[in-house]
Amino acid sequence: MLRQIIVTLCWLPLSLLALPAQADAADAAGATMAPAPARQGGAMFKIQRAGHSAYVFGTIHVGRADFYPFDDKVLQAMQHSSAIALEIDPGNAQGLADLMTRYGIYANGKSLAQELPPPLLLQLNPLLEKYGLTLDAVASMKPWLLATMLGISEYTHQGYLAQYGVDATLAAYAKKQGKPVVELETAEQQLSLLGKLTPAEQIQFLQDSIDEILDPAKAQRSLQLMTLWRNGDVDGMAAMLAELTSDDTFTGKFVQRALLDERNPGLADGIAKLTSATPHAFIGIGMLHLVGKNSVLAMLRQRGYTVSRVY
């Protein structure tokens, strides 16, 4: 279950690797102007405190064209919003190349072939071939970045594309409608979560990714996240997250510590600050930040917000 967690919660690596396809997100945003024929996915909550309110929508960072148009309730909340807030703006490329070089690319002539154990290289080669890649093409990538690329490639292989991710679509919609896009985090905050892993941790991270992709049962299970998101199954997502973070693997501990415990308080702070200063904000963050006992929504409740599900 590693890949869907990384793709769902770590938006920036995905947006960097998929940046050339952002034009497709604008097309999807245009489609949101038509009425939605059926439930289109996600879950939306209204938060209120001291006369201030906002909508919080659970996103997913890959998707398909048939995720759109959004449901009427979601679309109306977007239309009436004064700003769209996201983890980061996937269309903001300023400084990203330098950050990617700093955190995700080897320096001083190092390469993957030199750093990875031979058995891991043997496992890697057929996967690269499956996705139309070569070892030379990814030689400069650090293991965490390659692991992320493999996850994205597998989702693409299954028909879920980054350019149809909900965040990209929300950002494109905001810009088309002239609404400001507010970033709740920074690009460096997101990249550093993975970039600061030790070499040994990055290799384990890559090994876990490859093991999952090569296990048909685990690979198929990871796709269940899409169904849960499409159905707005918050309880199902909470159960999936609890299962992942309860194991003793490096990945399970990393997801709990770095992707949730270190990020959820900051996201809650950003939302609280935004709702106090900006009326009628529409906030889109990864769905798994919104479930579980230490979720962003739970933290907002602790701060006195009333949280009600409206979609």
Side-chain angles (χ1 to χ4, degrees), residues 106 112 124 128 133-142 146 149:
Y106 281 117
L112 271 171
L124 177 61
L128 294 176
L133 300 168
T134 65
L135 188 58
D136 286 344
V138 302
S140 64
M141 292 183 179
K142 291 183 178 179
L146 178 57
M149 174 173 274

Side-chain angles (χ1 to χ4, degrees), residues 15-39:
S15 67
L16 287 171
L17 293 171
L19 208 55
Q22 290 298 317
D24 288 347
D27 294 338
T32 64
M33 300 309 295
R39 195 182 205 290

Side-chain angles (χ1 to χ4, degrees), residues 276-292:
S276 295
T278 305
H280 312 301
F282 184 97
I283 301 154
I285 61 175
M287 188 73 173
L288 290 177
H289 290 293
L290 303 181
V291 301

Side-chain angles (χ1 to χ4, degrees), residues 268-309:
D269 287 343
I271 290 172
K273 181 178 179 180
L274 176 70
T275 54
S276 295
T278 305
H280 312 301
F282 184 97
I283 301 154
I285 61 175
M287 188 73 173
L288 290 177
H289 290 293
L290 303 181
V291 301
K293 63 180 181 180
N294 296 317
S295 70
V296 170
L297 293 179
M299 292 177 181
L300 291 173
R301 287 190 180 97
Q302 292 170 2
R303 299 179 188 201
Y305 281 87
T306 298
V307 179
S308 56
R309 184 170 179 178

